[in-house]
Coordinates of all heavy atoms in Angstrom, one line a residue:
G272 N 6.0 17.1 200.2 CA 5.6 16.1 201.3 C 6.2 14.7 201.2 O 7.1 14.6 200.3
P273 N 5.9 13.8 202.1 CA 6.5 12.5 202.1 C 6.1 11.7 200.7 O 5.1 12.0 200.2 CB 6.0 11.8 203.3 CG 4.8 12.5 203.6 CD 4.9 14.0 203.1
P274 N 7.0 10.9 200.3 CA 6.6 10.1 199.0 C 5.4 9.2 199.4 O 5.1 8.8 200.5 CB 7.9 9.3 198.8 CG 8.6 9.2 200.1 CD 8.2 10.5 200.8
E275 N 4.7 8.9 198.4 CA 3.5 8.0 198.3 C 3.9 6.7 199.0 O 4.9 6.1 198.5 CB 2.9 7.9 197.0 CG 2.2 9.0 196.5 CD 0.9 9.4 197.4 OE1 0.0 8.5 197.5 OE2 0.9 10.6 197.8
V276 N 3.2 6.3 200.0 CA 3.4 4.9 200.5 C 2.4 4.0 199.9 O 1.2 4.2 200.1 CB 3.4 4.9 202.1 CG1 3.6 3.5 202.6 CG2 4.4 5.9 202.7
T277 N 2.9 3.0 199.2 CA 1.9 2.1 198.6 C 1.9 0.8 199.3 O 1.3 -0.2 198.9 CB 2.3 1.8 197.1 OG1 3.6 1.3 197.2 CG2 2.2 3.0 196.2
G278 N 2.5 0.8 200.5 CA 2.5 -0.4 201.4 C 3.7 -1.4 201.1 O 4.0 -2.1 202.0
Q279 N 4.2 -1.2 199.8 CA 5.4 -2.0 199.6 C 6.6 -1.1 199.5 O 6.7 -0.2 198.8 CB 5.2 -2.6 198.1 CG 4.6 -4.0 198.0 CD 5.5 -5.1 198.8 OE1 6.3 -4.8 199.7 NE2 5.2 -6.3 198.4
P280 N 7.6 -1.4 200.4 CA 8.8 -0.5 200.3 C 9.5 -0.8 198.9 O 9.3 -1.7 198.2 CB 9.7 -1.1 201.4 CG 9.2 -2.4 201.7 CD 7.8 -2.4 201.3
L281 N 10.3 0.2 198.5 CA 11.0 0.1 197.3 C 11.9 -1.1 197.3 O 12.5 -1.4 198.2 CB 11.9 1.3 197.0 CG 11.1 2.7 196.8 CD1 12.0 3.8 196.8 CD2 10.5 2.5 195.3
D282 N 12.1 -1.8 196.2 CA 12.8 -2.9 195.9 C 14.3 -2.6 196.5 O 14.9 -3.4 197.2 CB 12.9 -3.4 194.5 CG 11.7 -4.0 194.1 OD1 10.8 -4.4 194.9 OD2 11.6 -4.4 192.8
E283 N 14.8 -1.5 196.0 CA 16.2 -1.1 196.3 C 16.4 -1.0 197.8 O 17.5 -1.1 198.4 CB 16.6 0.1 195.6 CG 16.7 0.0 194.1 CD 15.4 0.2 193.4 OE1 14.3 0.1 194.1 OE2 15.3 0.3 192.2
E284 N 15.3 -0.6 198.6 CA 15.4 -0.5 200.0 C 15.2 -1.8 200.7 O 15.7 -2.1 201.7 CB 14.4 0.5 200.6 CG 14.7 2.0 200.1 CD 13.5 2.8 200.6 OE1 12.6 2.3 201.3 OE2 13.5 4.0 200.0
Q285 N 14.3 -2.6 200.1 CA 13.9 -3.9 200.7 C 15.1 -4.9 200.6 O 15.3 -5.6 201.6 CB 12.7 -4.4 199.9 CG 11.8 -5.3 200.7 CD 10.6 -5.9 199.9 OE1 10.5 -5.5 198.8 NE2 9.9 -6.7 200.6
A286 N 15.8 -4.9 199.4 CA 16.8 -6.0 199.3 C 17.8 -5.9 200.4 O 18.1 -7.0 201.1 CB 17.4 -5.9 197.9
P287 N 18.4 -4.8 200.7 CA 19.5 -4.8 201.8 C 18.8 -5.2 203.1 O 19.6 -5.7 203.9 CB 19.9 -3.3 201.8 CG 19.5 -2.8 200.4 CD 18.3 -3.5 200.0
R288 N 17.5 -4.8 203.3 CA 17.0 -5.2 204.7 C 16.8 -6.7 204.6 O 17.1 -7.4 205.7 CB 15.7 -4.6 204.7 CG 15.6 -3.2 205.2 CD 14.3 -2.6 205.5 NE 14.3 -1.2 205.3 CZ 13.2 -0.6 204.9 NH1 12.0 -1.3 204.6 NH2 13.2 0.7 204.6
L289 N 16.4 -7.3 203.5 CA 16.2 -8.7 203.6 C 17.6 -9.4 203.8 O 17.8 -10.4 204.4 CB 15.7 -9.2 202.2 CG 14.3 -8.9 201.9 CD1 14.0 -9.2 200.4 CD2 13.2 -9.5 202.7
W290 N 18.6 -8.8 203.1 CA 20.0 -9.3 203.2 C 20.5 -9.3 204.6 O 21.0 -10.2 205.2 CB 20.9 -8.6 202.3 CG 22.1 -9.2 202.1 CD1 22.5 -10.3 201.4 CD2 23.5 -8.7 202.5 NE1 23.8 -10.6 201.4 CE2 24.4 -9.6 202.1 CE3 23.9 -7.6 203.3 CZ2 25.8 -9.5 202.4 CZ3 25.2 -7.4 203.5 CH2 26.1 -8.3 203.0
L291 N 20.3 -8.1 205.4 CA 20.7 -8.0 206.7 C 20.0 -9.0 207.6 O 20.5 -9.6 208.6 CB 20.4 -6.6 207.2 CG 21.4 -5.5 206.7 CD1 21.0 -4.1 207.1 CD2 22.8 -5.8 207.1
T292 N 18.7 -9.2 207.4 CA 17.8 -10.2 208.2 C 18.5 -11.6 207.9 O 18.7 -12.4 208.9 CB 16.4 -10.2 207.7 OG1 15.9 -8.9 207.8 CG2 15.6 -11.1 208.6
M293 N 18.9 -11.9 206.7 CA 19.5 -13.2 206.4 C 20.8 -13.4 207.2 O 21.1 -14.4 207.7 CB 19.7 -13.2 204.8 CG 20.2 -14.5 204.4 SD 20.3 -14.7 202.6 CE 21.6 -13.4 202.4
L294 N 21.6 -12.3 207.2 CA 22.9 -12.3 208.0 C 22.7 -12.6 209.4 O 23.4 -13.4 210.0 CB 23.6 -11.0 207.9 CG 24.2 -10.6 206.5 CD1 25.1 -9.4 206.6 CD2 24.9 -11.8 205.9
Q295 N 21.6 -12.0 210.0 CA 21.2 -12.2 211.4 C 20.9 -13.7 211.6 O 21.4 -14.3 212.5 CB 20.1 -11.3 211.9 CG 20.5 -10.0 212.1 CD 19.3 -9.1 212.5 OE1 18.4 -9.2 211.8 NE2 19.4 -8.2 213.5
L296 N 20.1 -14.2 210.7 CA 19.6 -15.6 210.8 C 20.8 -16.5 210.7 O 20.8 -17.6 211.4 CB 18.5 -16.0 209.8 CG 17.2 -15.2 209.9 CD1 16.3 -15.5 208.7 CD2 16.5 -15.6 211.2
Q297 N 21.7 -16.2 209.8 CA 22.9 -17.1 209.6 C 23.7 -17.2 210.8 O 24.2 -18.2 211.2 CB 23.6 -16.5 208.4 CG 24.5 -17.6 207.9 CD 25.4 -17.3 206.7 OE1 25.6 -16.1 206.5 NE2 25.9 -18.3 205.9
S298 N 23.9 -16.0 211.5 CA 24.7 -16.0 212.7 C 24.1 -16.9 213.8 O 24.5 -17.5 214.5 CB 25.1 -14.7 213.2 OG 24.2 -14.0 213.9
E299 N 22.6 -16.6 213.9 CA 21.9 -17.6 214.8 C 22.2 -19.0 214.5 O 22.2 -19.9 215.4 CB 20.4 -17.3 214.8 CG 20.0 -16.1 215.5 CD 18.4 -15.8 215.3 OE1 17.7 -16.8 215.6 OE2 18.0 -14.7 214.9
L300 N 22.1 -19.3 213.2 CA 22.2 -20.6 212.7 C 23.6 -21.2 213.2 O 23.7 -22.3 213.7 CB 22.0 -20.8 211.3 CG 22.2 -22.2 210.6 CD1 21.1 -23.2 211.2 CD2 22.1 -22.1 209.1
E301 N 24.6 -20.4 213.0 CA 26.0 -20.8 213.3 C 26.1 -21.1 214.7 O 26.8 -22.0 215.2 CB 27.1 -19.8 212.8 CG 27.3 -20.0 211.3 CD 28.0 -18.8 210.6 OE1 28.4 -17.9 211.4 OE2 28.1 -18.8 209.4
D302 N 25.5 -20.2 215.5 CA 25.5 -20.4 217.1 C 24.8 -21.7 217.4 O 25.3 -22.5 218.2 CB 24.7 -19.3 217.8 CG 25.5 -18.0 217.7 OD1 26.7 -17.9 217.3 OD2 24.9 -16.9 218.0
S303 N 23.6 -22.0 216.7 CA 22.9 -23.2 217.2 C 23.7 -24.4 216.7 O 23.7 -25.5 217.3 CB 21.6 -23.2 216.5 OG 21.5 -23.7 215.3
Q304 N 24.4 -24.4 215.5 CA 25.1 -25.5 215.0 C 26.4 -25.7 215.9 O 27.0 -26.7 215.8 CB 25.6 -25.2 213.6 CG 24.5 -25.0 212.7 CD 23.6 -26.3 212.3 OE1 23.1 -27.0 213.3 NE2 23.5 -26.7 211.1
A305 N 26.8 -24.6 216.6 CA 28.2 -24.8 217.3 C 27.8 -25.5 218.6 O 28.8 -26.0 219.2 CB 28.7 -23.4 217.5
A306 N 26.6 -25.6 219.1 CA 26.2 -26.2 220.3 C 26.6 -27.7 220.2 O 26.6 -28.3 219.1 CB 24.8 -26.0 220.6
A307 N 26.8 -28.3 221.4 CA 27.1 -29.8 221.3 C 25.9 -30.5 220.8 O 26.0 -31.5 220.0 CB 27.4 -30.3 222.8
Q308 N 24.8 -30.2 221.2 CA 23.5 -30.8 220.7 C 22.8 -29.8 219.8 O 22.1 -28.9 220.3 CB 22.6 -31.2 221.9 CG 22.9 -32.4 222.5 CD 22.9 -33.7 221.7 OE1 21.9 -33.9 221.0 NE2 24.0 -34.4 221.6
P309 N 23.0 -29.9 218.5 CA 22.3 -28.9 217.7 C 20.8 -29.0 217.8 O 20.2 -30.1 218.0 CB 22.7 -29.3 216.2 CG 23.1 -30.7 216.3 CD 23.5 -31.0 217.7
D310 N 20.1 -27.8 217.7 CA 18.6 -27.7 217.6 C 18.2 -27.9 216.3 O 18.1 -26.9 215.6 CB 18.2 -26.4 218.4 CG 16.7 -26.2 218.4 OD1 16.1 -27.0 217.8 OD2 16.3 -25.3 219.2
C311 N 17.9 -29.2 215.9 CA 17.6 -29.4 214.5 C 16.3 -28.7 214.0 O 16.4 -28.2 212.9 CB 17.6 -30.9 214.2 SG 19.3 -31.6 214.3
P312 N 15.3 -28.8 214.7 CA 14.1 -28.1 214.2 C 14.3 -26.6 214.0 O 13.9 -26.0 213.0 CB 13.0 -28.3 215.3 CG 13.5 -29.5 216.0 CD 15.0 -29.4 215.9
L313 N 15.1 -25.9 214.9 CA 15.5 -24.6 214.8 C 16.4 -24.4 213.6 O 16.1 -23.5 212.7 CB 16.2 -24.0 216.1 CG 16.7 -22.6 215.9 CD1 15.7 -21.6 216.0 CD2 17.7 -22.3 217.1
A314 N 17.3 -25.3 213.4 CA 18.3 -25.2 212.3 C 17.5 -25.3 211.0 O 17.9 -24.6 210.0 CB 19.3 -26.2 212.5
R315 N 16.5 -26.2 211.0 CA 15.8 -26.3 209.7 C 14.9 -25.1 209.4 O 15.0 -24.6 208.2 CB 14.9 -27.5 209.8 CG 15.6 -28.9 209.8 CD 14.8 -30.0 209.4 NE 15.6 -31.3 209.4 CZ 15.8 -32.0 210.5 NH1 15.2 -31.7 211.5 NH2 16.8 -33.0 210.4
A316 N 14.4 -24.5 210.4 CA 13.6 -23.3 210.2 C 14.5 -22.1 209.8 O 14.1 -21.4 208.8 CB 12.9 -22.9 211.4
L317 N 15.7 -22.1 210.5 CA 16.6 -21.0 210.1 C 17.1 -21.1 208.6 O 17.1 -20.1 207.9 CB 17.8 -20.9 211.1 CG 17.5 -20.3 212.5 CD1 18.6 -20.6 213.3 CD2 17.1 -18.9 212.4
T318 N 17.4 -22.3 208.3 CA 17.9 -22.6 207.0 C 16.8 -22.3 205.8 O 17.2 -21.6 204.9 CB 18.4 -24.1 206.8 OG1 19.4 -24.3 207.7 CG2 18.9 -24.4 205.4
S319 N 15.6 -22.7 206.2 CA 14.6 -22.5 205.2 C 14.3 -20.9 205.1 O 14.0 -20.4 204.0 CB 13.4 -23.3 205.5 OG 12.3 -22.5 205.9
N320 N 14.4 -20.2 206.2 CA 14.2 -18.7 206.2 C 15.3 -18.1 205.4 O 15.1 -17.1 204.7 CB 14.1 -18.2 207.6 CG 12.8 -18.3 208.2 OD1 12.0 -18.5 207.5 ND2 12.8 -18.4 209.5
I321 N 16.6 -18.5 205.6 CA 17.8 -18.0 204.9 C 17.6 -18.1 203.4 O 17.7 -17.3 202.6 CB 19.0 -18.6 205.4 CG1 19.4 -18.1 206.8 CG2 20.3 -18.2 204.5 CD1 20.5 -19.0 207.5
C322 N 17.2 -19.3 203.0 CA 17.0 -19.6 201.7 C 15.8 -18.8 201.0 O 15.9 -18.3 199.9 CB 16.8 -21.2 201.3 SG 18.4 -22.0 201.8
G323 N 14.7 -18.7 201.8 CA 13.6 -17.9 201.3 C 13.9 -16.5 201.1 O 13.5 -15.8 200.1
L324 N 14.7 -15.9 202.1 CA 15.1 -14.5 202.0 C 16.0 -14.3 200.8 O 15.8 -13.4 200.0 CB 15.8 -14.1 203.2 CG 15.1 -13.9 204.5 CD1 16.0 -13.7 205.7 CD2 14.2 -12.5 204.3
G325 N 16.8 -15.3 200.4 CA 17.7 -15.3 199.4 C 17.0 -15.3 198.0 O 17.3 -14.4 197.1
E326 N 15.9 -16.1 198.0 CA 15.0 -16.2 196.8 C 14.3 -14.7 196.6 O 14.3 -14.3 195.4 CB 13.9 -17.2 196.9 CG 14.5 -18.6 196.5 CD 15.3 -18.5 195.1 OE1 14.7 -18.1 194.1 OE2 16.5 -18.8 195.1
R327 N 13.9 -14.2 197.7 CA 13.2 -12.9 197.5 C 14.2 -11.9 197.0 O 13.9 -11.0 196.1 CB 12.6 -12.3 198.8 CG 11.4 -13.2 199.2 CD 10.9 -13.0 200.5 NE 10.4 -11.5 200.8 CZ 10.1 -11.1 202.0 NH1 10.2 -11.8 203.0 NH2 9.8 -9.8 202.1
I328 N 15.4 -11.8 197.5 CA 16.5 -11.0 197.0 C 16.7 -11.1 195.5 O 16.8 -10.2 194.8 CB 17.8 -11.1 197.9 CG1 17.5 -10.6 199.3 CG2 18.9 -10.4 197.1 CD1 18.7 -11.0 200.3
C329 N 16.8 -12.4 195.1 CA 17.0 -12.7 193.7 C 15.8 -12.3 192.8 O 16.1 -11.9 191.6 CB 17.4 -14.2 193.5 SG 19.0 -14.7 194.3
V330 N 14.7 -12.4 193.3 CA 13.5 -11.9 192.6 C 13.6 -10.4 192.3 O 13.3 -9.9 191.2 CB 12.2 -12.3 193.3 CG1 11.0 -11.5 192.8 CG2 11.9 -13.8 193.3
I331 N 14.0 -9.8 193.4 CA 14.2 -8.3 193.2 C 15.3 -8.0 192.2 O 15.2 -7.1 191.4 CB 14.4 -7.7 194.6 CG1 13.2 -7.7 195.5 CG2 14.9 -6.2 194.4 CD1 13.5 -7.4 197.0
A332 N 16.5 -8.7 192.4 CA 17.6 -8.5 191.4 C 17.1 -8.8 190.0 O 17.6 -8.0 189.1 CB 18.7 -9.4 191.9
A333 N 16.3 -9.7 189.8 CA 15.9 -10.1 188.5 C 15.0 -8.9 187.9 O 15.1 -8.7 186.6 CB 15.2 -11.3 188.4
R334 N 14.3 -8.2 188.8 CA 13.5 -7.1 188.2 C 14.4 -5.8 187.9 O 13.9 -4.9 187.2 CB 12.5 -6.6 189.3 CG 11.3 -7.6 189.4 CD 10.1 -6.8 190.0 NE 10.3 -6.5 191.4 CZ 9.7 -7.2 192.3 NH1 9.0 -8.3 192.2 NH2 9.9 -6.7 193.6
H335 N 15.6 -5.9 188.4 CA 16.4 -4.7 188.2 C 17.8 -5.1 187.7 O 18.8 -5.0 188.4 CB 16.6 -3.9 189.5 CG 15.4 -3.5 190.1 ND1 14.8 -2.3 189.7 CD2 14.5 -4.0 191.0 CE1 13.6 -2.1 190.3 NE2 13.5 -3.1 191.2
P336 N 17.9 -5.7 186.4 CA 19.2 -6.2 185.9 C 20.3 -5.2 185.8 O 21.4 -5.5 185.8 CB 18.8 -6.8 184.6 CG 17.5 -6.2 184.1 CD 16.8 -5.8 185.6
E337 N 19.9 -4.0 185.7 CA 20.9 -2.9 185.6 C 21.6 -2.7 187.1 O 22.7 -2.0 187.0 CB 20.2 -1.6 185.1 CG 19.4 -0.8 186.0 CD 18.1 -1.4 186.5 OE1 17.7 -2.4 185.9 OE2 17.6 -1.0 187.5
D338 N 21.0 -3.0 188.1 CA 21.7 -2.8 189.4 C 22.6 -3.9 189.8 O 22.2 -5.0 190.3 CB 20.5 -2.6 190.4 CG 21.0 -2.1 191.7 OD1 22.2 -2.4 192.1 OD2 20.2 -1.4 192.3
Q339 N 23.9 -3.6 189.6 CA 25.0 -4.6 189.9 C 24.9 -5.0 191.3 O 25.2 -6.2 191.6 CB 26.3 -4.0 189.6 CG 26.5 -3.7 188.1 CD 26.5 -5.0 187.3 OE1 27.3 -6.0 187.6 NE2 25.7 -5.1 186.3
S340 N 24.7 -4.2 192.3 CA 24.8 -4.6 193.7 C 23.7 -5.5 194.1 O 23.9 -6.3 194.9 CB 24.6 -3.2 194.6 OG 23.3 -2.7 194.5
L341 N 22.4 -5.4 193.4 CA 21.5 -6.4 193.7 C 21.9 -7.8 193.2 O 21.6 -8.8 193.9 CB 20.1 -6.0 193.1 CG 19.4 -4.8 193.7 CD1 18.2 -4.4 192.9 CD2 19.0 -5.0 195.2
G342 N 22.5 -7.8 192.0 CA 23.0 -9.1 191.5 C 24.0 -9.7 192.3 O 24.0 -10.9 192.6
T343 N 24.8 -8.9 192.9 CA 25.8 -9.4 193.8 C 25.3 -9.9 195.1 O 25.6 -11.0 195.6 CB 26.8 -8.2 194.2 OG1 27.4 -7.7 193.0 CG2 28.0 -8.8 195.0
M344 N 24.3 -9.3 195.6 CA 23.5 -9.7 196.7 C 22.9 -11.0 196.6 O 22.8 -11.9 197.4 CB 22.5 -8.6 197.2 CG 22.7 -7.9 198.5 SD 21.4 -6.8 198.8 CE 21.9 -5.3 198.4
C345 N 22.2 -11.1 195.4 CA 21.6 -12.4 195.1 C 22.6 -13.6 194.9 O 22.3 -14.6 195.6 CB 20.9 -12.3 193.7 SG 20.4 -13.9 193.0
Q346 N 23.7 -13.3 194.4 CA 24.8 -14.4 194.3 C 25.2 -14.8 195.7 O 25.4 -16.0 196.0 CB 26.0 -13.9 193.5 CG 25.8 -13.7 192.1 CD 25.3 -15.1 191.4 OE1 25.9 -16.1 191.6 NE2 24.2 -15.0 190.6
D347 N 25.4 -13.8 196.6 CA 25.9 -14.0 197.9 C 24.9 -14.7 198.7 O 25.2 -15.7 199.4 CB 26.1 -12.6 198.6 CG 26.5 -12.8 200.1 OD1 27.8 -13.0 200.3 OD2 25.7 -12.5 201.0
A348 N 23.6 -14.3 198.5 CA 22.5 -15.0 199.3 C 22.3 -16.5 198.8 O 22.2 -17.4 199.7 CB 21.2 -14.4 198.9
R349 N 22.6 -16.8 197.6 CA 22.5 -18.2 197.1 C 23.7 -19.0 197.7 O 23.4 -20.2 198.1 CB 22.6 -18.3 195.5 CG 21.4 -17.8 194.9 CD 21.1 -18.5 193.6 NE 19.8 -18.2 193.2 CZ 19.3 -17.6 192.1 NH1 20.3 -17.1 191.2 NH2 18.1 -17.4 191.9
G350 N 24.8 -18.5 197.8 CA 26.0 -19.1 198.5 C 25.7 -19.3 199.9 O 26.0 -20.4 200.4
R351 N 25.0 -18.3 200.6 CA 24.7 -18.6 202.0 C 23.6 -19.7 202.2 O 23.7 -20.4 203.2 CB 24.2 -17.2 202.5 CG 25.3 -16.3 202.9 CD 24.8 -14.9 203.2 NE 25.9 -13.9 203.0 CZ 26.8 -13.7 204.0 NH1 27.0 -14.4 205.0 NH2 27.7 -12.9 203.7
C352 N 22.7 -19.7 201.4 CA 21.7 -20.8 201.4 C 22.3 -22.1 201.2 O 22.1 -23.0 202.1 CB 20.7 -20.5 200.3 SG 19.5 -21.8 200.0
G353 N 23.2 -22.3 200.2 CA 23.9 -23.4 200.1 C 24.7 -23.9 201.2 O 24.8 -25.1 201.7
K354 N 25.4 -23.0 201.8 CA 26.2 -23.1 203.0 C 25.3 -23.7 204.2 O 25.8 -24.6 204.9 CB 27.0 -21.9 203.3 CG 28.4 -22.2 203.9 CD 29.1 -20.8 204.0 CE 29.5 -20.6 205.5 NZ 30.1 -19.3 205.7
A355 N 24.3 -23.0 204.4 CA 23.3 -23.4 205.5 C 22.9 -24.7 205.3 O 22.7 -25.5 206.2 CB 22.3 -22.3 205.6
Q356 N 22.4 -25.1 204.1 CA 21.9 -26.4 203.7 C 23.0 -27.4 204.0 O 22.6 -28.6 204.5 CB 21.3 -26.5 202.3 CG 20.0 -25.6 202.3 CD 19.5 -25.7 200.7 OE1 20.3 -25.6 199.8 NE2 18.1 -25.6 200.6
A357 N 24.1 -27.2 203.6 CA 25.3 -28.2 203.7 C 25.6 -28.4 205.2 O 25.7 -29.5 205.6 CB 26.5 -27.8 203.0
S358 N 25.6 -27.3 206.0 CA 25.8 -27.5 207.4 C 24.7 -28.2 208.0 O 25.0 -29.0 209.0 CB 26.2 -26.1 207.9 OG 25.4 -25.8 209.2
L359 N 23.4 -28.0 207.6 CA 22.3 -28.6 208.2 C 22.4 -30.2 208.0 O 22.2 -31.0 208.9 CB 21.0 -28.1 207.6 CG 19.8 -28.6 208.1 CD1 19.5 -28.4 209.6 CD2 18.6 -28.1 207.3
Q360 N 22.7 -30.5 206.8 CA 22.9 -32.0 206.3 C 23.8 -32.5 207.2 O 23.7 -33.8 207.6 CB 23.3 -32.0 204.9 CG 22.3 -31.7 203.8 CD 21.0 -32.6 204.0 OE1 21.2 -33.8 204.0 NE2 19.9 -32.0 203.9
Q361 N 25.0 -31.9 207.5 CA 26.0 -32.5 208.3 C 25.6 -32.6 209.7 O 25.8 -33.7 210.3 CB 27.2 -31.5 208.2 CG 28.5 -32.1 208.3 CD 29.6 -31.1 208.1 OE1 29.4 -29.9 207.9 NE2 30.8 -31.5 208.0
R362 N 25.0 -31.5 210.3 CA 24.7 -31.6 211.7 C 23.4 -32.4 212.0 O 23.2 -32.9 213.1 CB 24.5 -30.2 212.3 CG 25.8 -29.4 212.2 CD 26.8 -29.9 213.2 NE 26.5 -29.4 214.6 CZ 27.0 -29.9 215.7 NH1 27.8 -30.9 215.6 NH2 26.7 -29.4 217.0
C363 N 22.5 -32.2 211.0 CA 21.2 -32.8 211.3 C 20.7 -33.6 210.1 O 19.8 -33.1 209.4 CB 20.1 -31.7 211.5 SG 20.5 -30.6 212.9
P364 N 21.4 -34.7 209.8 CA 20.9 -35.4 208.6 C 19.4 -35.8 208.7 O 19.0 -36.2 209.8 CB 21.8 -36.7 208.6 CG 22.5 -36.8 209.9 CD 22.3 -35.3 210.6
A365 N 18.7 -35.7 207.7 CA 17.3 -35.9 207.8 C 17.1 -37.4 207.7 O 17.1 -38.0 206.6 CB 16.5 -35.2 206.7
G366 N 16.8 -38.0 208.8 CA 16.6 -39.4 208.7 C 15.0 -39.6 208.6 O 14.3 -38.6 208.3
P367 N 14.5 -40.8 208.8 CA 13.0 -41.0 208.9 C 12.5 -40.1 209.9 O 13.1 -39.9 210.9 CB 12.8 -42.4 209.1 CG 14.2 -42.9 209.6 CD 15.1 -42.1 209.2
P368 N 11.2 -39.6 209.7 CA 10.5 -38.7 210.7 C 10.5 -39.4 212.1 O 10.3 -40.6 212.2 CB 9.1 -38.5 210.3 CG 9.1 -39.0 208.8 CD 10.3 -39.9 208.6
G369 N 10.9 -38.7 213.1 CA 10.9 -39.3 214.4 C 12.2 -39.9 214.8 O 12.5 -40.2 216.0
A370 N 13.1 -40.1 213.9 CA 14.3 -40.9 214.1 C 15.2 -40.0 215.0 O 15.6 -38.8 214.7 CB 15.1 -41.2 212.9
G371 N 15.6 -40.4 216.2 CA 16.5 -39.6 217.0 C 15.9 -38.4 217.6 O 16.5 -37.6 218.4
Q372 N 14.6 -38.2 217.4 CA 13.9 -37.0 218.0 C 12.9 -37.6 219.1 O 12.1 -38.5 218.7 CB 13.1 -36.2 217.0 CG 14.0 -35.5 216.0 CD 14.7 -34.3 216.7 OE1 14.0 -33.8 217.7 NE2 15.8 -33.9 216.3
P373 N 12.8 -37.2 220.3 CA 11.8 -37.6 221.2 C 10.4 -37.2 220.7 O 10.3 -36.1 220.1 CB 12.1 -36.8 222.5 CG 12.9 -35.7 222.1 CD 13.8 -36.2 220.8
P374 N 9.5 -38.0 220.8 CA 8.1 -37.7 220.2 C 7.5 -36.5 220.9 O 7.9 -36.3 222.1 CB 7.3 -39.0 220.5 CG 8.0 -39.7 221.6 CD 9.5 -39.4 221.4
L375 N 6.8 -35.7 220.1 CA 6.2 -34.5 220.8 C 5.0 -35.0 221.6 O 4.4 -35.8 221.3 CB 5.7 -33.6 219.7 CG 6.8 -32.9 218.9 CD1 6.2 -32.2 217.8 CD2 7.7 -31.9 219.8
P376 N 4.9 -34.3 222.8 CA 3.8 -34.6 223.7 C 2.5 -34.4 223.0 O 2.3 -33.5 222.2 CB 3.8 -33.7 224.8 CG 4.8 -32.6 224.3 CD 5.7 -33.2 223.3

């Protein structure tokens, strides 16, 4: 029969999915950063998601030190997180709250 489902997918299956999600978010981020007026709230949310996914991948990699591909994914994810943060700083420097942003209704 089918394998037991414990609600948690296997780490080895989960990591590549997280990684693919991160790639999608990164391409969304690049699109939003390419716009004349960057959508900073969106860029911040995407960046924080990219870094969060990277951390989850690295947690999985740490549980499986023997799996080289997970370690590679973790390194790659950390690099993408750093790149996203650098691009965010450049496009959306965090000024004081409300600076350059119209107040929300």
Side-chain angles (χ1 to χ4, degrees):
E275 286 294 306
V276 177
T277 54
Q279 271 295 23
L281 287 170
D282 284 351
E283 291 84 346
E284 288 171 19
Q285 204 179 358
R288 279 188 213 148
L289 295 171
W290 193 70
L291 286 173
T292 307
M293 186 175 63
L294 294 188
Q295 282 175 319
L296 293 176
Q297 198 179 22
S298 80
E299 277 179 53
L300 179 64
E301 279 163 11
D302 291 347
S303 89
Q304 300 289 57
Q308 283 298 309
D310 181 342
C311 290
L313 174 68
R315 287 200 180 92
L317 287 169
T318 299
S319 114
N320 282 335
I321 288 166
C322 294
L324 287 165
E326 275 315 298
R327 286 171 63 189
I328 291 167
C329 290
V330 165
I331 291 172
R334 284 205 293 259
H335 301 275
E337 75 291 344
D338 190 328
Q339 293 295 304
S340 67
L341 289 174
T343 307
M344 248 186 259
C345 165
Q346 291 302 315
D347 179 81
R349 290 213 162 120
R351 286 171 196 280
C352 167
K354 214 171 114 181
Q356 287 176 328
S358 131
L359 181 65
Q360 287 299 314
Q361 214 176 1
R362 296 288 283 161
C363 302
Q372 290 285 333
L375 291 170

